Amino acid sequence: MRSLLAGKKILFAISGSIAVYKTAAWVRELVLAEAEVTVVMTEAASRFVSSLTFAALSGRRVYTGMFEHDAGEAMTHISLASECDLFIIAPATAQTIAKLANGLADDLLSTLALANRAKLLVFPAMNSAMYCHAATRANLARLQEYGYTVIAPEEGKLACGEEGVGRLPDWETAREEIAAACSVQDLQGQTVLVTAGPTWEALDPARHLGNRSSGKMGYSLARSARRRGADVILVSGPCSLTPPPGVETVHVTSARQMHDAVLAHYDRADIVVMAAAVADYRPKKTMAEKVKKSGRATTLELVANPDILKKLGSRKKQAKRPLLVGFAAESSDHLAEGERKLLQKNLDLIVINDIAGSDTGFEADTNQVSILDKEGGLEKLPLLSKDECGTRILDRVVALLQ
Ligand code: PMT
């Protein structure tokens, strides 16, 4: 997020709803991501939360009225709009939405919206009856016709005490919409299936065989693909991460469940990225009852799990789609093992993941990978955050699609 937003000029316009208090945290997050945030508030908005709060959080002057500017700033409504890379209206009240839909320009916010040429995100927030009213629906449809991106509010308990649709989304959802607005939509129209996390192979009701995968690499890939406009299916083994908003997530536990889930969604996929650490073996028998301690040495018999990626590779044969990307988690013979897996599994790309250091591979927030293609082309990436690593892997995927 930081690299995406660093230096971006964001015009953040706030209209008068109780949800204003939530946007204070959004402004803070955007500033932490190194965006240059200029806040504009309607008169009603500044009654809910003082403009001083937003001035302190953004580190900049907050604009409230059309005519509250210094001499020499007579055209604030034009200059603020023409200088921004992204225009966000949050919360957008029914009144503000109605004004924008009808091209009214009777305050600074609505005037800026008319003068604006940058991408415009509208986050409606209001009582659910107001949101569901035919007039508001028609106004929102009109905004979409103008090319504005309208982010649907969430359902839940509203500040007015009612239950229903109308809540301003949480920051996590807003962050993804803002990140998508700042990303090239080069995966639009593509469906990307990503696997993530470990698999657990049950021994008995209390124990399993597993591995150290946290899911971070796969979740970063899923998030990045979504930001770039893809429809994303995430097949996730057991982990503690929250799926990225807007991603269809299928939770599985064992390798066989992951196999079934991947094959069930495979036909829809244009691109498959297998970042999961799938167990190669499982216990031959899963005990129905917890195994009691006997104190004696014991032997565990294992049988092979299906190799999901190999199966996809053999299915693919001559077909161009889906594009198959595998990972190879290696602590030695990295290139040779990567090459072997690329050929054996009939892949388009393999991401050779060094798992030998504490800052790379399993559990870490950073990763060290090399990307190998079918023609033998090798790209060695430096140590990167897993988000950045996911972005670079998808850059290669996009290049192959072209
Ligand atoms: O989740 P994190 O903590 O962020 O860690 C990320 C990671 C290290 C798990 C990830 O980056 C990674 O390297 N994933 C692949 C792990 C792995 O199982 O590698 P492998 O070399 O054993 O398998 C090769 C490929 O075949 C992988 O794409 C794997 O998903 C796939 N496979 C493996 C076994 C199997 N039965 N079926 C498979 O499809």
Side-chain angles (χ1 to χ4, degrees):
M1 182 76 168
R2 182 159 297 168
S3 56
L4 257 181
L5 291 186
K8 283 265 181 318
K9 292 185 171 60
I10 297 181
L11 194 52
F12 199 107
I14 305 174
S15 60
S17 144
I18 179 61
V20 173
Y21 79 92
K22 280 191 177 179
T23 57
W26 295 17
V27 168
R28 168 101 181 115
E29 292 288 350
L30 291 169
V31 169
L32 285 175
E34 293 171 19
E36 294 174 18
V37 186
T38 302
V39 174
V40 173
M41 301 178 82
T42 61
E43 205 273 319
S46 61
R47 290 192 183 210
F48 285 97
V49 176
S50 148
S51 61
L52 192 61
T53 303
F54 288 96
L57 291 172
S58 67
R60 285 160 193 270
R61 171 182 170 178
V62 171
Y63 293 82
T64 46
M66 280 284 272
F67 305 105
E68 284 173 8
H69 40 64
D70 303 331
E73 273 192 329
M75 303 299 276
T76 314
H77 61 292
I78 304 294
S79 59
L80 286 178
S82 62
E83 281 162 12
C84 75
D85 300 310
L86 179 67
F87 194 146
I88 298 171
I89 305 181
T93 59
Q95 164 79 354
T96 293
I97 290 164
K99 278 199 221 178
L100 300 187
N102 290 287
L104 298 184
D106 66 348
D107 61 7
L108 185 58
L109 187 156
S110 53
T111 311
L112 284 168
L114 269 189
N116 168 60
R117 290 194 191 94
K119 181 145 191 148
L120 202 157
L121 301 186
V122 182
F123 288 87
M126 64 197 77
N127 163 275
S128 60
M130 291 169 79
Y131 179 71
C132 295
H133 194 286
T136 307
R137 312 298 304 171
N139 288 335
L140 286 170
R142 185 76 89 70
L143 296 193
Q144 282 169 320
E145 282 168 26
Y146 297 159
Y148 302 173
T149 303
V150 176
I151 292 92
E154 293 180 348
E155 284 192 38
K157 191 120 184 113
L158 303 172
C160 58
E162 284 182 21
E163 194 90 30
V165 65
R167 275 164 58 102
L168 194 69
D170 290 336
W171 165 243
E172 285 66 32
T173 301
R175 180 192 62 205
E176 292 312 310
E177 296 293 346
I178 294 166
C182 295
S183 302
V184 181
Q185 297 297 286
D186 51 6
L187 285 173
Q188 195 150 39
Q190 307 285 341
T191 299
V192 183
L193 193 162
V194 180
T195 65
T199 64
W200 287 355
E201 311 301 318
L203 288 163
D204 68 19
R207 306 174 180 99
H208 62 254
L209 295 179
N211 62 65
R212 287 172 44 220
S213 172
S214 62
K216 287 177 189 170
M217 189 63 246
Y219 278 56
S220 286
L221 279 156
R223 191 180 305 112
S224 181
R226 177 74 193 136
R227 287 177 179 177
R228 292 165 82 146
D231 289 326
V232 182
I233 306 161
L234 173 64
V235 178
S236 173
C239 65
S240 59
L241 304 178
T242 307
V247 164
E248 179 184 339
T249 307
V250 184
H251 293 281
V252 297
T253 304
S254 67
R256 282 184 295 174
Q257 288 172 359
M258 185 169 279
H259 167 272
D260 293 350
V262 169
L263 288 179
H265 294 90
Y266 170 80
D267 287 344
R268 284 165 58 200
D270 301 297
I271 300 151
V272 177
V273 187
M274 287 278 308
V278 188
D280 291 318
Y281 296 95
R282 66 178 185 276
K284 187 171 183 189
K285 265 179 98 174
T286 300
M287 302 302 175
E289 303 291 339
K290 183 176 173 230
V291 178
K292 306 260 188 273
K293 186 165 86 178
S294 71
R296 288 192 303 275
T298 184
T299 307
L300 185 62
E301 198 177 346
L302 301 176
V303 292
N305 270 327
D307 189 319
I308 307 166
L309 196 49
K310 198 168 174 190
K311 196 165 192 174
L312 301 187
S314 69
R315 271 192 174 195
K316 188 178 157 183
K317 292 283 172 349
Q318 305 308 322
K320 281 199 162 173
R321 298 285 165 100
L323 201 136
L324 289 183
V325 183
F327 271 72
E330 308 298 342
S331 56
S332 62
D333 303 325
H334 297 69
L335 186 55
E337 281 303 299
E339 252 171 325
R340 183 178 67 76
K341 290 175 185 175
L342 177 88
L343 292 175
Q344 264 185 6
K345 303 194 186 202
N346 188 29
L347 309 177
D348 295 285
L349 288 177
I350 193 146
V351 180
I352 304 170
N353 201 152
D354 181 8
I355 57 160
S358 59
D359 53 1
T360 176
F362 293 97
E363 293 169 319
D365 289 330
T366 48
N367 214 2
Q368 173 86 63
V369 306
S370 300
I371 308 174
L372 180 65
D373 64 31
K374 281 199 287 199
E375 279 69 46
L378 182 70
E379 184 185 4
K380 285 189 180 181
L381 298 182
L383 186 72
L384 297 169
S385 71
K386 282 189 172 160
D387 278 351
E388 183 65 19
C389 193
T391 303
R392 298 286 288 271
I393 294 165
L394 292 178
D395 287 346
R396 289 298 301 274
V397 167
V398 168
L400 275 188
L401 288 176
Q402 286 159 359

